[in-house]
Amino acid sequence: MRLLSTLEMNNPTWLCFSWSLLILAVIHVTVGEMYTSLLNVKQAISVERKLIDYLRVYIDHEFERLEDIKRLQRPGDSDGQPAGVIHPDQAAAFRVAECSLQQRSPGERTRSSYEKEEANLPKLEDLQGAAKGLMRLQDVYALQVASLVRGCFQRVTKGKPIDIYLPAVSVSLSGDDCFLVGKVAYEQEDYYHSVQWLEESVRLFRGTGGEWSPENEGTLADALDHLAFSHFKTGNISYAISLSQELLNHDPMNGRVLQNIEKYEKLLGTSPPIPIRGDGLRRPSSNYLGTRDTYERLCQTQGSQPMLFENPRLFCDYFTNGNPGLLLLPVRREVLSLRPYVVLYHSFITDTEAEDIKRTAQPGLKRSVVAAGEKQATAEYRISKSAWLKGSAHSTVGKLDQRISMLTGLNVKHPYGEYLQVVNYGIGGHYEPHFDHATLSSVEAGGCTAFIYANFSVPVMEKAAIFWWNLHRNGQGDADTLHAGCPVLIGDKWVANKWIHEHGQEFQHRCSLNPEV
């Protein structure tokens, strides 16, 4: 076992704590990054409720204004009142109504209220990020799009649908929802996903008779248009013609669609047929994830710990590390793997401590970044927000540092250990295989930690901590610690990470030229 030297920042050893409870707070939201944290998504729901309340107030005020206008009718028009004679009560009502009309209109007040909340509403980037998150869940967990649309989580195994997770409440997607997801894939020229989601969109739009709703972004015609071209790009020309002809029923004078049909028919009529560029419904390859198949297989197990009967050297015990502070209350330790050495500490943190940590971290949550040369940048393969907490930020942070030090026997104070990093994951939030970070938290489904080369995954566990060394004793990086945070399928994933440097541990954890010692 080895730790990190200060010059080897890409290979820290670390301890991770996790929990799942949630506290809402007002947080500044970076434009287009709301989808990267479920906390911000929940905040957007509360903002939407405010806007609905503003709209109700607007409607009530407009009704009041209409009543004021009615009271401004000419006095001579009143029943039984001689022309030119104004009753004192009418004069008072006239002045009140006139004053009311001169005030700022309800529309202006509603617009002002909306502008105050506008920064906390989802942007186009959030829609695109949420759509990509759904497609990520579809791929990683091999989910059927049709079941996702129904609010279920199923995959087909040996020709039969298998339930992956049964939510207590199922919320179905609309034709417009599916259109928006399919359109995101379409604009990325990802026709594998656009075909599947647009097929569902067309089916649902057809089920409503093509009737358009004011809140819809798209229509049946839009879905048919995008789906026809998607099928063309995948080589299914006959179906592209059929969909285009159906589209003409809704838009007979669409010259572009007429030209497309003519082009498609010529391609079908050539002898021999002209080969069409397109790989069929084949999932796009990953340029940076060479271990995708193993990664997804481990994620789909949703926690496949090595069993004791498979490796009798694995064990569970009550652990004190020889520290007097743990003698009366030892920690429940579960050794998950020997190569690499991975340990799970159960009930490491209390509910109160978890809430304290989350509450303290919430104001500082920002989009998580990854190393990009000498700089740091956001990346699609890490979808979350994180904040760094110093030991002085809250007394609980200091207590956790002390507890980590007792368990590991290491100096975890800065600069020998990084500050505590707290992370909240977004829609389909994940962190694909890497060496310098790992996650574990309690969620209803998904989100497990997968060790790619070691070929096992750790299930989500509430308030547990996981620890491993990612350097050999001779200081070389341990490739077996390649790991990933699988996408969150259901639930709200919170984790806290602690990286401990090699520098400063020379007497607590001695080095060796032999990595096996």
Side-chain angles (χ1 to χ4, degrees):
M1 295 180 290
R2 288 295 295 164
L3 298 180
L4 170 71
S5 73
T6 53
L7 300 179
E8 295 174 304
M9 296 301 293
N10 288 332
N11 289 307
T13 201
W14 65 280
L15 189 59
C16 169
F17 315 94
S18 62
W19 44 86
S20 63
L21 300 179
L22 173 68
I23 297 177
L24 290 178
V26 177
I27 299 174
H28 173 72
V29 179
T30 305
V31 174
E33 292 186 350
M34 182 177 294
Y35 74 97
T36 62
S37 169
L38 198 60
L39 179 65
N40 293 148
V41 174
K42 293 187 176 186
Q43 181 188 7
I45 295 174
S46 73
V47 172
E48 183 181 36
R49 289 171 180 158
K50 285 184 184 180
L51 295 179
I52 293 174
D53 290 338
Y54 293 151
L55 183 59
R56 290 195 183 105
V57 171
Y58 166 76
I59 294 172
D60 291 341
H61 285 173
E62 284 295 346
F63 275 118
E64 292 176 3
R65 280 165 53 86
L66 287 174
E67 292 300 319
D68 292 339
I69 292 173
K70 291 178 182 178
R71 289 197 295 271
L72 285 177
Q73 61 181 334
R74 290 178 60 83
D77 297 337
S78 302
D79 294 338
Q81 181 70 43
V85 178
I86 302 177
H87 192 279
D89 290 342
Q90 287 181 316
F94 183 92
R95 287 192 294 272
V96 171
E98 185 178 32
C99 180
S100 174
L101 291 177
Q102 289 176 350
Q103 294 177 355
R104 192 169 59 156
S105 70
E108 292 173 340
R109 292 195 295 270
T110 303
R111 187 179 300 107
S112 176
S113 299
Y114 171 81
E115 289 172 351
K116 291 179 182 178
E117 304 292 346
E118 188 176 11
N120 294 323
L121 291 174
K123 307 297 187 292
L124 175 61
E125 293 85 351
D126 293 305
L127 168 65
Q128 295 169 338
K132 293 176 183 177
L134 284 175
M135 291 184 278
R136 184 180 308 119
L137 294 176
Q138 170 195 346
D139 290 345
V140 173
Y141 295 106
L143 301 176
Q144 283 185 304
V145 174
S147 69
L148 279 173
V149 171
R150 297 194 307 272
C152 304
F153 301 89
Q154 295 179 329
R155 74 168 63 104
V156 175
T157 303
K158 296 181 179 179
K160 295 182 179 180
I162 303 296
D163 289 322
I164 303 304
Y165 179 80
L166 291 175
V169 178
S170 296
V171 180
S172 300
L173 299 180
S174 68
D176 191 57
D177 294 331
C178 296
F179 171 72
L180 292 173
V181 177
K183 187 179 178 184
V184 169
Y186 177 92
E187 291 172 346
Q188 294 183 320
E189 299 184 358
D190 175 7
Y191 303 112
Y192 168 84
H193 288 103
S194 70
V195 163
Q196 297 180 70
W197 284 93
L198 291 172
E199 286 279 9
E200 289 298 316
S201 175
V202 167
R203 180 182 65 81
L204 291 169
F205 274 135
R206 283 172 178 161
T208 63
E211 183 178 343
W212 183 77
S213 178
E215 66 268 17
N216 283 355
E217 178 78 16
T219 63
L220 174 58
D222 293 328
L224 287 168
D225 197 4
H226 287 76
L227 179 59
F229 190 78
S230 296
H231 274 296
F232 162 69
K233 294 297 288 186
T234 60
N236 194 346
I237 302 177
S238 298
Y239 195 32
I241 293 175
S242 176
L243 292 168
S244 297
Q245 289 172 338
E246 182 181 352
L247 175 56
L248 286 179
N249 294 333
H250 301 275
D251 189 5
M253 304 306 295
N254 192 319
R256 178 178 53 80
V257 176
L258 289 169
Q259 289 179 353
N260 284 347
I261 291 177
E262 183 179 356
K263 175 182 177 181
Y264 299 158
E265 289 176 340
K266 285 182 178 179
L267 290 172
L268 283 180
T270 57
S271 182
I274 296 176
I276 304 301
R277 293 186 63 185
D279 298 323
L281 286 182
R282 184 178 302 173
R283 183 178 165 192
S285 60
S286 173
N287 295 327
Y288 58 88
L289 185 55
T291 58
R292 183 171 72 179
D293 292 343
T294 303
Y295 160 62
E296 293 179 354
R297 175 178 56 80
L298 291 172
C299 288
Q300 289 173 20
T301 63
Q302 300 194 53
S304 59
Q305 295 179 208
M307 303 302 292
L308 294 180
F309 65 83
E310 295 178 355
N311 188 345
R313 297 178 62 196
L314 301 179
F315 61 90
C316 299
D317 65 358
Y318 285 94
F319 183 66
T320 66
N321 197 30
N323 190 292
L326 296 174
L327 290 177
L328 295 179
L329 191 61
V331 176
R332 289 187 295 149
R333 178 177 65 167
E334 182 178 357
V335 179
L336 304 178
S337 173
L338 297 175
R339 288 190 179 182
Y341 182 74
V342 181
V343 180
L344 184 69
Y345 297 108
H346 293 265
S347 302
F348 182 84
I349 189 170
T350 67
D351 290 327
T352 300
E353 290 172 334
E355 293 304 316
D356 288 342
I357 293 296
K358 287 193 297 181
R359 188 182 300 109
T360 305
Q362 285 171 9
L365 287 176
K366 296 180 181 179
R367 175 73 184 272
S368 299
V369 296
V370 297
E374 296 182 356
K375 299 181 180 180
Q376 292 183 320
T378 61
E380 286 295 314
Y381 58 86
R382 188 182 188 187
I383 302 299
S384 62
K385 283 188 175 179
S386 56
W388 295 87
L389 300 184
K390 296 182 179 180
S392 58
H394 195 282
S395 60
T396 300
V397 179
K399 291 178 182 178
L400 288 181
D401 279 347
Q402 184 180 17
R403 199 171 303 157
I404 296 169
S405 182
M406 288 191 296
L407 276 175
T408 63
L410 301 174
N411 184 351
V412 303
K413 297 294 184 182
H414 191 79
Y416 307 117
E418 297 292 328
Y419 296 125
L420 190 70
Q421 185 193 48
V422 182
V423 185
N424 182 225
Y425 284 76
I427 299 173
H430 71 145
Y431 194 177
E432 289 187 349
H434 57 285
F435 285 104
D436 60 351
H437 173 81
T439 60
L440 184 67
S441 78
S442 178
V443 296
E444 294 180 59
C448 66
T449 302
F451 287 82
I452 309 304
Y453 294 146
N455 197 32
F456 74 96
S457 58
V458 184
V460 293
M461 298 189 69
E462 185 177 5
K463 299 186 294 293
I466 187 172
F467 169 83
W468 71 82
W469 311 90
N470 63 9
L471 297 182
H472 290 296
R473 288 193 67 90
N474 62 359
Q476 298 298 313
D478 186 351
D480 286 339
T481 61
L482 181 71
H483 55 278
C486 296
V488 180
L489 191 58
I490 299 290
D492 189 6
K493 183 176 182 179
W494 286 85
V495 304
N497 308 303
K498 185 75 174 183
W499 286 276
I500 307 169
H501 297 178
E502 180 182 38
H503 175 62
Q505 317 299 337
E506 292 84 357
F507 298 103
Q508 284 87 349
H509 189 77
R510 296 182 181 277
C511 61
S512 169
L513 296 178
N514 185 352
E516 304 299 329
V517 177

